[in-house]
Amino acid sequence: FFHLCPSVFRMEEQDNTAGKKLQHQTRAEAPGTKSWQSQAYTLGAISNFMSTFLTFPIYKVVFRQQIHAVALSEAVKQLWHEGPQYFYRGIYPPLLSKTLQGTLLFGTYDSLLCFLSPVGPHSLGQRWTAGLMSGVVEAVALSPFERVQNVLQDARKQACFPGTFSILKEFNSYGLWGRLSLGYYRGFWPVLVRNSLGSALYFSFKDPIQDGLAKQGLPHWVPALVSGSVNGTITCLILYPLMVLVANMQSHIGWQRMPSLWASAQDVWDTRGRKILLIYRGGSLIVLRSSVTWGLTTAIHDFLQRKAHTKKEMTD
């Protein structure tokens, strides 16, 4: 699957060999160093901010397909008829949330991995556990941002809730429990399952895929880019039904009867004609978006990790 001919890159063999040694050494030592932890936080914030802004139009089309179960052309037509003033409606919550997501995801994972095993290399079980727990932290911290974003992106809510402030005002008018269950944390449980499993899968297999590609003699940035794209795409496809469920649960607002998680899942299944293909409507674009987003994030992450390690060696 990943077999490539190393002879094409024979002229760079020495440089790539050194690069691979640095790559393995960096990933083995980095979780225990303070400098790498700070680099992980910074990297996550910057890379996620940029990738979110660039891929937001794709996400908005996917969201319309998830909500209305329409074809790609129909989703694009909806946005076109609404006009350019609404095209980037709802971008501020995801920009903020994704920036925080990158900070929490990579930083928390690195800290937890260091706590589980201060000295690398780390086992699959340790990477899985650290990834799972970092996903839990991410879900708790960022679920309110996704909730507001999903309301903003639903065209049916534009008249009643023209902006973020109007949605926050609505949520804050509820009592304490209502603010959590009906407001900011509506649809939290599927978010928790999606984020925790997604983070565990991503961090568990990111390095093995990257190591397998690095053995082919490729330039050092290619394995990270491909590993992030492939791993992010596969993870996204596995968890896509949960994304559809979250989008539908969080797009509702107000004090209307709130169905249970099972009832919400059953409703989505019934409205999609009990067909897997309709559940995955919009999946082609989410694959593209995930491939670009996680490919860039992983490549930048690996680049900054190598730079930090090189700088540390020079100072030492």
Side-chain angles (χ1 to χ4, degrees), residues 209-227:
I209 295 175
Q210 186 172 341
D211 292 342
L213 288 170
K215 295 177 182 178
Q216 307 301 323
L218 297 169
H220 63 81
W221 58 270
V222 174
L225 181 67
V226 177
S227 172

Side-chain angles (χ1 to χ4, degrees), residues 6-7 11 41 49 102-103 112 115 138 141 193 261 298:
S7 61
M11 294 181 63
Y41 283 107
F49 179 92
T103 304
L112 289 171
F115 174 77
E138 175 193 0
V193 174
L261 176 60
T298 307

Side-chain angles (χ1 to χ4, degrees), residues 23-310:
Q23 184 177 358
H24 288 288
Q25 184 181 7
T26 302
R27 289 208 299 270
E29 296 179 357
T33 63
K34 182 178 178 181
S35 62
W36 164 234
Q37 290 185 21
S38 63
Q39 287 291 329
Y41 283 107
T42 304
L43 163 66
I46 296 175
S47 60
N48 277 32
F49 179 92
M50 295 178 62
S51 60
T52 300
F53 183 83
L54 293 174
T55 59
F56 182 76
I58 301 175
Y59 178 83
K60 193 160 188 177
V61 173
V62 171
F63 178 82
R64 292 297 175 88
Q65 291 186 285
Q66 291 173 338
I67 291 294
H68 304 295
V70 296
L72 173 60
S73 58
E74 179 61 28
V76 174
K77 188 182 298 183
Q78 285 183 10
L79 296 176
W80 179 263
H81 286 319
E82 291 171 14
Q85 67 272 26
Y86 292 109
F87 197 68
Y88 270 87
R89 170 184 161 90
I91 192 174
Y92 295 113
L95 276 180
L96 180 57
S97 67
K98 291 299 182 181
T99 302
L100 291 175
Q101 178 195 33
T103 304
L104 288 174
L105 193 62
F106 287 98
T108 305
Y109 170 78
D110 186 66
S111 299
L112 289 171
L113 198 61
C114 178
F115 174 77
L116 292 172
S117 177
V119 180
H122 304 287
S123 66
L124 175 62
Q126 291 168 343
R127 297 197 305 271
W128 175 274
T129 302
L132 190 76
M133 295 307 298
S134 65
V136 171
V137 173
E138 175 193 0
V140 173
L142 302 181
S143 185
F145 294 97
E146 186 174 7
R147 166 69 161 140
V148 174
Q149 174 190 353
N150 284 336
V151 175
L152 283 171
Q153 292 183 152
D154 191 349
R156 299 168 295 185
K157 307 297 190 300
Q158 290 179 2
C160 297
F161 302 100
T164 302
F165 179 77
S166 60
I167 298 173
L168 298 180
K169 185 178 180 180
E170 172 71 16
F171 290 168
N172 291 331
S173 68
Y174 305 157
L176 177 60
W177 177 247
R179 293 181 187 181
L180 298 176
S181 60
L182 295 177
Y184 297 106
Y185 282 92
R186 187 164 191 167
F188 172 72
W189 292 114
V191 171
L192 181 65
V193 174
R194 181 199 64 190
N195 288 16
S196 58
L197 288 181
S199 298
L201 288 169
Y202 173 77
F203 285 114
S204 293
F205 301 108
K206 175 176 68 71
D207 287 348
I209 295 175
Q210 186 172 341
D211 292 342
L213 288 170
K215 295 177 182 178
Q216 307 301 323
L218 297 169
H220 63 81
W221 58 270
V222 174
L225 181 67
V226 177
S227 172
S229 297
V230 172
N231 196 29
T233 298
I234 293 175
T235 301
C236 182
L237 282 175
I238 293 173
L239 300 176
Y240 187 77
L242 280 175
M243 299 179 189
V244 177
L245 179 60
V246 169
N248 280 272
M249 291 184 69
Q250 291 192 340
S251 65
H252 295 291
I253 198 169
W255 283 94
Q256 70 269 28
R257 183 183 68 87
M258 185 172 63
S260 64
L261 176 60
W262 173 253
S264 299
Q266 188 65 41
D267 180 65
V268 171
W269 178 246
D270 291 338
T271 56
R272 297 303 189 272
R274 297 175 173 267
K275 295 180 179 179
I276 294 294
L277 287 178
L278 291 182
I279 290 289
Y280 272 86
R281 176 163 277 176
S284 58
L285 285 180
I286 210 71
V287 166
L288 174 61
R289 181 175 180 268
S290 296
S291 178
V292 173
T293 300
W294 286 109
L296 288 174
T297 299
T298 307
I300 297 173
H301 185 281
D302 183 74
F303 172 76
L304 290 182
Q305 181 179 3
R306 292 166 57 85
K307 294 287 287 185
H309 185 77
T310 303

